[in-house]
Amino acid sequence: KAGVTQTPRYLIKTRGQQVTLSCSPISGHRSVSWYQQTPGQGLQFLFEYFSETQRNKGNFPGRFSGRQFSNSRSEMNVSTLELGDSALYLCASSPGQSAGANVLTFGAGSRLTVL
Amino acid sequence: DAKTTQPNSMESNEEEPVHLPCNHSTISGTDYIHWYRQLPSQGPEYVIHGLTSNVNNRMASLAIAEDRKSSTLILHRATLRDAAVYYCILSGGFSGGYNKLIFGAGTRLAVHP
């Protein structure tokens, strides 16, 4: 079956712009979570959505937001981009119904460069 | 959030077993122990997870200490493709709940031919 699809794979933006990243989960998966990976901070949890509701949120400023649609596809948005937002943004999907035992399947990521 | 401690790096030779240790002394009773790995230029990949008993799958084995304060990921015969960063993560219960994985720095495994 198809894996987790993230688009776009690469993008370049300038400071102050905003960006929207998209994630299509594995069919049947209702949970989508987002992670940011940078060389300095490693992999950090952004937020998780389950059945269109944000269920968990990491320690990121309000410029980072997300949403999930009824078909479980998710988008994340970063407004007023800063240089430090340059990172690999990873999306992961899972069935989502078991606290702790869920297996996450990650996409290949969207690499954002902010100039 | 409960933390895990792993060595920064390890080395192995091809076709030899590899034991990757992880300490999680503050684990709660409902935390699952997960292992993911990240190959270069890829997203993390699930390896194995367990709660209390040792687990085996086609990729690896997970040995969990009786007091659950530590665990070991075992790759039975390392291949060059196993060169990756391996993350030991606690999930669920008091470690953040659903799907909030707290990644540490992981262990970078080098496999030599």
Side-chain angles (χ1 to χ4, degrees):
Chain A
K1 57 183 176 182
V4 177
T5 303
Q6 292 188 244
T7 56
R9 289 292 315 279
Y10 303 91
L11 66 166
I12 300 173
K13 295 285 187 178
T14 57
R15 279 180 297 176
Q17 287 187 312
Q18 66 95 25
V19 67
T20 299
L21 309 177
S22 178
C23 174
S24 293
I26 289 173
S27 178
H29 284 189
R30 295 166 62 188
S31 167
V32 173
S33 47
W34 289 88
Y35 292 80
Q36 181 197 65
Q37 184 170 29
T38 60
Q41 298 297 319
L43 275 154
Q44 292 184 284
F45 173 79
L46 280 157
F47 29 66
E48 186 235 358
Y49 289 86
F50 179 79
S51 293
E52 302 179 67
T53 300
Q54 187 180 88
R55 192 162 61 174
N56 264 307
K57 188 176 188 304
N59 296 323
F60 278 82
R63 299 185 297 107
F64 292 82
S65 63
R67 59 177 175 169
Q68 186 180 33
F69 303 96
S70 58
N71 61 359
S72 293
R73 191 178 68 86
S74 176
E75 290 181 346
M76 68 162 284
N77 184 277
V78 187
S79 63
T80 319
L81 284 166
E82 301 176 359
L83 295 178
D85 298 332
S86 295
L88 179 66
Y89 290 88
L90 292 156
C91 164
S93 78
S94 80
Q97 291 164 303
S98 172
N102 279 303
V103 172
L104 272 61
T105 302
F106 283 82
S110 293
R111 184 165 295 280
L112 170 65
T113 301
V114 182
L115 302 177
Chain B
D1 297 323
K3 288 189 175 181
T4 61
T5 304
Q6 300 176 251
N8 289 335
S9 63
M10 292 186 65
E11 296 187 3
S12 174
N13 294 319
E14 207 174 4
E15 298 191 5
E16 290 184 354
V18 182
H19 290 233
L20 297 166
C22 181
N23 288 318
H24 28 79
S25 58
T26 59
I27 190 171
S28 75
T30 54
D31 284 336
Y32 283 77
I33 302 158
H34 288 247
W35 285 82
Y36 284 77
R37 71 180 184 180
Q38 189 171 21
L39 279 66
S41 302
Q42 295 187 24
E45 173 188 36
Y46 167 78
V47 178
I48 200 167
H49 77 285
L51 184 61
T52 56
S53 302
N54 295 344
V55 184
N56 300 296
N57 66 20
R58 64 173 181 80
M59 289 182 69
S61 295
L62 176 60
I64 302 173
E66 196 168 334
D67 63 5
R68 300 212 322 130
K69 294 184 185 298
S70 66
S71 61
T72 302
L73 177 70
I74 302 165
L75 306 179
H76 295 286
R77 290 183 67 206
T79 69
L80 296 179
R81 193 192 173 278
D82 292 324
V85 178
Y86 287 78
Y87 298 98
C88 169
I89 302 160
L90 302 182
S91 178
F94 295 104
S95 293
Y98 296 90
N99 299 332
K100 181 182 177 182
L101 300 185
I102 308 299
F103 285 83
T107 296
R108 184 173 297 277
L109 175 65
V111 180
H112 303 294

